[in-house]
Amino acid sequence: MKVLASCLVFATLGWAQAPDTILINGKILTVDAAFSTREALAIRDGKIAAVGSTAAVRAQAGPSTRVIDLRGRTVIPGLIDSHLHAIRAAVSFSTEVNWIGARSLPEALKRIRDAASSKPAGTWLIVAGGWTADQFQERRRPTQAELVEAAPNNPVYIQLGYGWAMLTPVAYRTLGITDESKLPGGGQYERGPDGNPTGAVTGGQNAIISLFDLLPKPTYEQAVDGTRKFFTELNRLGVTGVVDPGGNNLFPSDYQALMQVWREHQMTVRVAYTLNGQTDGKEFDELKTLTQLVPMGMGDDFLRFNGLGERITVAMNNNNRPDETVKEKYYQIIRWAAGQGMSLTMHWGSNASVGQLLDLFEKVNKEVPIAPLRWSIAHLGDASEASLQRMKTLGVGWTVQDASYFGGAQTNATMPAVGLARKIGVNVGAGTDAHRVMSYNPFTALQWFVDGKTVAGGAVRGEKASREEALRLYTLGSAWFSFDESKRGSLEVGKLADLAVLSKDYMTVPAGEIGEIESVLTMVGGKVVYGAEPR
Ligand SMILES: [Zn+2]
């Protein structure tokens, strides 16, 4: 009797510990230290319970375990974009038109035409970036006449990066811009070779940001809907985490949609978010007020506050020659942030001027060691060995994006020296900087890391990454920036079960086809958030 009872206890315990889900017969790229490949993986309570052979993992299954037969498919840890303006992209995702992946102008214009016919008359049609002329066979931007032809009765606004925006006459009329002097932020009409306005606006980043701010904002309901849809779109591409760097045209009120999705337990992408300084000269007060009730690290595994950035003061933003006053104001904020135990990420474009930023980081570091805070510099595509050495000494990380992917067939760009950075010991994360200046597709970024080619087929000079290295940067590498590398970024026992089953084998597909990979099944915390089980 006694023996029987203990058998029963053992059996009950056995069932209780059976995995909720197992994935078998696959090629699982674990991205562990040895970059091991395994056949199978077990998930229990949202975490990885086992990795190993199909036979060993199948032996753990109980009667209620869901079995997913991968049929040889490749599985990767969920991708983490360490610099994606996801909150901003999300609020307008359901109301904007998207040119990501369009290969010709007719295809792009068709998306405008389709939106015009499917939305109520007079609806704004906005393409807010994420494309380049070089992705089109025609290698040029649309003309105003083409946009009018596609949507004669709608206001149409097409933005290219932060340097150019084309508006149709209906759009100008709707905004009340009747002549050049009414353009905000120092904007100017672009003129063609004949001297006549082309319909586009130029004049630098401020002109475009100010112009965009005139456009109608999505309603709150549209923003919530857009957030859910954008996260699903990221899941379709195997993304399960982002580090969001705030950004231009993004205000504290814009975070509300994200927070509602979080409150309703509908997050399908894990978001670490930061706060920007908003108003020129008032940033310190704003940041102190905003963070009074939101300490560093507050939140959970789905939504967590990760400090400041990427624009900390307006005056230091894209400023290669900050004067002493500008630097002092910036220094006061970052010294305060260090005292508060905050992480921060700083947008910086050029290695030639980054010494000014590193001087300030070093000054703070003498008072408060910043290495434990995991500060980072975003972009810095031409980072030199000397800069990387200084970053290593400070414990400052580097987030790298595929900015040169949008270059033309001829390019002078150089690949960021990620291999060198890793050798020096700098923590590197990968990402896209979507969706104004770049597409959010992580696979086109992975392809660019590996083959060093632009969307138009041009070659980017310099060091390329191996497939292993690129994947590691896009998973574990990025996880470091939100203090998550022990929780996710690789498929190892005890980690969150965030993963993607791929449409093609990332390791063996020709390099030029990596960009076409999609996920067929994405899981976050062991829950299917995209796709159907391969049956
Ligand atoms: Zn930036």
Side-chain angles (χ1 to χ4, degrees):
M1 189 66 199
K2 204 179 167 197
V3 171
L4 186 64
S6 70
C7 278
L8 276 173
V9 168
F10 178 77
T12 311
L13 207 64
W15 297 139
Q17 289 188 338
D20 303 316
T21 304
I22 59 171
L23 287 75
I24 57 169
N25 298 322
K27 178 176 174 184
I28 296 172
L29 308 178
T30 62
V31 194
D32 63 5
F35 205 82
S36 316
T37 302
R38 297 279 182 259
E39 282 177 350
L41 175 152
I43 298 166
R44 190 170 59 230
D45 297 333
K47 291 185 176 163
I48 296 164
V51 287
S53 68
T54 291
V57 168
R58 200 200 282 274
Q60 296 184 13
S64 61
T65 298
R66 173 174 51 173
V67 180
I68 297 175
D69 188 343
L70 295 165
R71 299 184 176 182
R73 283 194 193 276
T74 298
V75 179
I76 57 170
L79 298 170
I80 303 171
D81 190 317
S82 53
H83 194 94
L84 172 58
H85 296 279
I87 298 169
R88 187 178 67 196
V91 293
S92 55
F93 189 71
S94 66
T95 53
E96 282 177 1
V97 182
N98 191 324
W99 279 359
I100 284 170
R103 304 300 297 194
S104 70
L105 269 169
E107 190 182 341
L109 291 165
K110 182 175 182 300
R111 294 189 194 178
I112 297 287
R113 199 171 290 120
D114 289 350
S117 61
S118 67
K119 291 175 190 273
T123 301
W124 274 88
L125 303 178
I126 297 168
V127 177
W131 63 280
T132 177
D134 283 315
Q135 80 192 49
F136 303 138
Q137 279 159 17
E138 299 82 2
R139 303 271 189 266
R140 65 169 178 86
R141 304 165 188 187
T143 63
Q144 192 187 49
E146 286 168 332
L147 294 168
V148 170
E149 202 268 313
N153 302 316
N154 297 70
V156 181
Y157 172 96
I158 311 288
Q159 183 174 327
L160 178 59
Y162 281 108
W164 183 92
M166 175 67 85
L167 288 77
T168 57
V170 180
Y172 280 112
R173 213 175 309 136
T174 310
L175 294 178
I177 297 174
T178 47
D179 64 74
E180 198 167 10
S181 69
K182 298 236 167 48
L183 287 171
Q188 294 156 6
Y189 286 153
E190 178 191 59
R191 289 173 195 281
D194 57 2
N196 291 324
T198 61
V201 174
T202 59
Q205 201 180 95
N206 197 38
I208 304 300
I209 293 170
S210 312
L211 185 62
F212 188 85
D213 273 338
L214 298 180
L215 303 179
K217 288 229 163 200
T219 65
Y220 184 66
E221 287 69 27
Q222 286 168 335
V224 173
D225 180 48
T227 300
R228 290 195 195 103
K229 286 187 173 140
F230 185 58
F231 288 172
T232 302
E233 170 70 356
L234 291 178
N235 296 151
R236 183 180 72 80
L237 296 165
V239 175
T240 60
V242 302
V243 184
D244 187 294
N248 303 316
N249 302 114
L250 185 72
F251 304 97
S253 55
D254 293 323
Y255 290 64
Q256 289 303 306
L258 170 73
M259 289 177 187
Q260 174 160 340
V261 173
W262 173 80
R263 268 199 327 273
E264 292 178 353
H265 306 288
Q266 291 175 341
M267 297 284 284
T268 66
V269 172
R270 303 185 194 276
V271 178
Y273 72 98
T274 54
L275 291 175
N276 277 200
Q278 295 285 335
T279 314
D280 192 5
K282 300 208 173 77
E283 296 93 343
F284 201 178
D285 287 339
E286 287 170 345
L287 291 168
K288 278 193 281 196
T289 304
L290 284 166
T291 56
Q292 241 174 138
L293 300 176
V294 191
M296 175 64 200
M298 190 172 192
D300 61 17
D301 286 337
F302 279 105
L303 181 62
R304 186 160 351 105
F305 176 54
N306 203 46
L308 309 185
E310 66 175 316
R311 189 184 67 200
I312 295 178
T313 66
V314 173
M316 273 286 271
N317 193 41
N318 287 318
N319 186 350
N320 289 313
R321 291 190 194 81
D323 64 24
E324 289 310 312
T325 316
V326 165
K327 285 199 274 194
E328 177 60 22
K329 279 191 169 173
Y330 182 87
Y331 164 73
Q332 293 296 337
I333 296 177
I334 64 171
R335 188 183 64 174
W336 163 81
Q340 299 287 309
M342 276 186 211
S343 191
L344 69 79
T345 188
M346 180 62 190
H347 164 106
W348 206 276
S350 163
N351 186 70
S353 59
V354 77
Q356 318 220 41
L357 178 69
L358 288 168
D359 287 346
L360 296 173
F361 281 11
E362 283 162 359
K363 191 172 164 192
V364 172
N365 191 53
K366 289 197 181 107
E367 300 173 63
V368 185
I370 61 171
L373 308 178
R374 303 193 179 185
W375 289 10
S376 60
I377 299 177
H379 319 314
L380 204 67
D382 61 347
S384 67
E385 184 167 358
S387 300
L388 292 168
Q389 289 286 4
R390 288 175 77 180
M391 289 163 72
K392 159 65 184 167
T393 304
L394 289 165
V396 165
W398 184 26
T399 64
V400 176
Q401 301 82 32
D402 56 332
S404 64
Y405 175 67
F406 269 2
Q410 309 295 328
T411 174
N412 292 317
T414 304
M415 295 297 285
V418 295
L420 176 64
R422 298 269 299 157
K423 210 162 80 192
I424 290 171
V426 176
N427 283 286
V428 184
T432 58
D433 200 12
H435 77 308
R436 291 273 198 278
V437 299
M438 187 46 63
S439 151
Y440 48 75
N441 189 333
F443 288 103
T444 51
L446 285 164
Q447 179 178 311
W448 166 87
F449 270 116
V450 169
D451 75 1
K453 287 201 179 131
T454 69
V455 66
V460 184
R461 287 170 308 170
E463 173 192 29
K464 298 168 192 74
S466 68
R467 294 180 196 224
E468 289 91 335
E469 185 70 2
L471 184 59
R472 193 180 291 282
L473 296 179
Y474 234 112
T475 51
L476 269 183
S478 291
W480 182 86
F481 292 82
S482 57
F483 300 81
D484 282 320
E485 76 279 8
S486 63
K487 281 188 184 170
R488 53 195 172 102
S490 63
L491 300 174
E492 296 177 90
V493 172
K495 284 196 159 180
L496 293 164
D498 296 359
L499 56 84
V501 182
L502 303 183
S503 60
K504 291 180 181 177
D505 181 9
Y506 168 72
M507 294 305 291
T508 59
V509 75
E513 292 175 25
I514 292 174
E516 292 161 27
I517 298 176
E518 294 176 6
S519 174
V520 296
L521 180 84
T522 305
M523 287 183 151
V524 173
K527 210 177 115 191
V528 175
V529 292
Y530 174 78
E533 293 174 19
R535 266 277 114 208

